[in-house]
Amino acid sequence: MRKPFIAGNWKMNMDSQSSVELIEALAEGLDKIDREKVDVAVIPPFVYLAAAVKAARSSSVAVGAQDMYFEPKGAFTGEISSYMLKDIGCTYVLCGHSERRHVIGESDELINKKISAAISGGLLPIFCVGELLEERESGKMTAVVERQIRAGFAGLNAAKAAAVTVAYEPVWAIGTGKTATPEQAQEVHSFIRKILAEIYDETLANQMRIQYGGSVKADNAEQIMAKEDIDGLLVGGASLKPAEFLGIIKGSIK
Ligand code: PGA
């Protein structure tokens, strides 16, 4: 049985005060939820991470970063390494979020280096994949997702791969209010699990968690999570409101 894993990606939102208030409200709400039944993480902007770790300390909320660079240290102005994130108490890091792929221009190769370096630095990567609307409409969806998955896991042995959570986020569903139907998401999740079984084996593929992301809200979380291969949710906009995010978490407990 894979434990549900719900993560809130704050993107470039919040400020120092509202970050702490949001985590405190989540921690309080989570006190009433069985910690054994769900893993929860928040993913604030870099500058609020240290305060987020402090605010989350005595709660079951883990903290992750939205990105990192693959080199451990050195002359890379503006970048942040996995060791630095680990040093301040982060548990997770997003790798290859669609906004980094399509707005910033990150390649499959760069994302693969980040995933590998994240694991070496002691972090748990949340590796995002997903097709654009035109790729889905032109029948290229599975080819795109397969390419992203194979490139992301390239060179990772089974022990390293086990540290990764995959997040399937169809780009057309992110921030658009247009959620994939539970059936559409399930189809791609089971396809991803099949590719993982081909790369590794069925045992590992069946242990790995695959999140869905894209316009998840409290009123659609339960339906999406009811699908067999959907093990968690990566939530953007709806993770900024404590009541909404807590509603998503509650709806995700299987
Ligand atoms: P959204 O974002 O929930 O606002 O659609 C999801 C994501 O980008 O992770």
Side-chain angles (χ1 to χ4, degrees):
M1 187 52 186
R2 297 177 295 266
K3 187 175 177 185
F5 174 26
I6 313 303
N9 171 15
W10 296 2
K11 309 193 181 189
M12 201 171 73
N13 293 299
M14 309 300 275
D15 59 24
S16 52
Q17 192 183 333
S18 59
S19 300
V20 170
E21 285 169 1
L22 174 52
I23 293 171
E24 285 171 353
L26 284 179
E28 202 187 313
L30 282 172
D31 269 351
K32 296 169 206 101
I33 295 174
D34 189 346
R35 292 170 189 218
E36 297 306 311
K37 293 203 169 136
V38 61
D39 288 331
V40 176
V42 292
I43 309 181
F46 284 132
V47 289
Y48 306 132
L49 284 173
V53 168
K54 196 165 162 225
R57 196 159 285 157
S58 55
S59 76
S60 55
V61 180
V63 177
Q66 296 176 14
D67 185 35
M68 51 161 272
Y69 195 56
F70 62 84
E71 295 285 359
K73 62 175 182 157
F76 304 101
T77 302
E79 295 297 331
I80 290 190
S81 75
S82 58
Y83 298 93
M84 294 170 178
L85 296 174
K86 181 77 183 167
D87 181 40
I88 62 154
C90 289
T91 306
Y92 298 98
V93 63
L94 291 180
C95 295
H97 187 275
S98 81
E99 286 142 23
R100 299 216 57 91
R101 288 180 188 270
H102 299 293
V103 182
I104 313 290
E106 291 194 6
S107 66
D108 286 328
E109 292 68 30
L110 177 63
I111 294 161
N112 171 247
K113 285 183 182 170
K114 291 186 178 192
I115 294 169
S116 183
I119 300 165
S120 303
L123 297 174
L124 303 174
I126 301 174
F127 165 40
C128 307
V129 299
E131 81 286 359
L132 297 163
L133 184 59
E134 56 266 33
E135 291 167 338
R136 175 173 277 260
E137 286 177 342
S138 60
K140 295 193 193 114
M141 175 184 79
T142 50
V144 168
V145 172
E146 179 166 357
R147 188 203 76 222
Q148 292 172 337
I149 290 284
R150 289 190 183 275
F153 283 95
L156 292 191
N157 62 24
K160 285 191 170 181
V164 179
T165 297
V166 174
Y168 168 60
E169 299 201 298
V171 181
W172 48 271
I174 297 177
T176 57
K178 219 170 138 189
T179 325
T181 64
E183 291 69 30
Q184 284 174 320
Q186 165 61 26
E187 185 195 354
V188 183
H189 281 233
S190 92
F191 174 71
I192 291 171
R193 210 177 294 287
K194 190 184 101 206
I195 304 294
L196 291 172
E198 280 174 25
I199 304 174
Y200 300 101
D201 58 39
E202 289 216 3
T203 312
L204 180 57
N206 284 331
Q207 282 163 5
M208 289 177 68
R209 293 190 289 195
I210 308 175
Q211 296 177 319
Y212 167 80
S215 298
V216 173
K217 309 219 163 34
D219 63 12
N220 59 23
E222 194 173 341
Q223 266 184 305
I224 298 170
M225 284 296 292
K227 292 291 177 191
E228 194 187 332
D229 286 295
I230 304 183
D231 313 312
L233 302 165
L234 182 54
V235 185
S239 73
L240 301 175
K241 299 171 215 126
E244 183 77 15
F245 194 49
L246 283 164
I248 291 172
I249 296 165
K250 283 186 195 136
S252 303
I253 295 173
K254 294 207 183 191

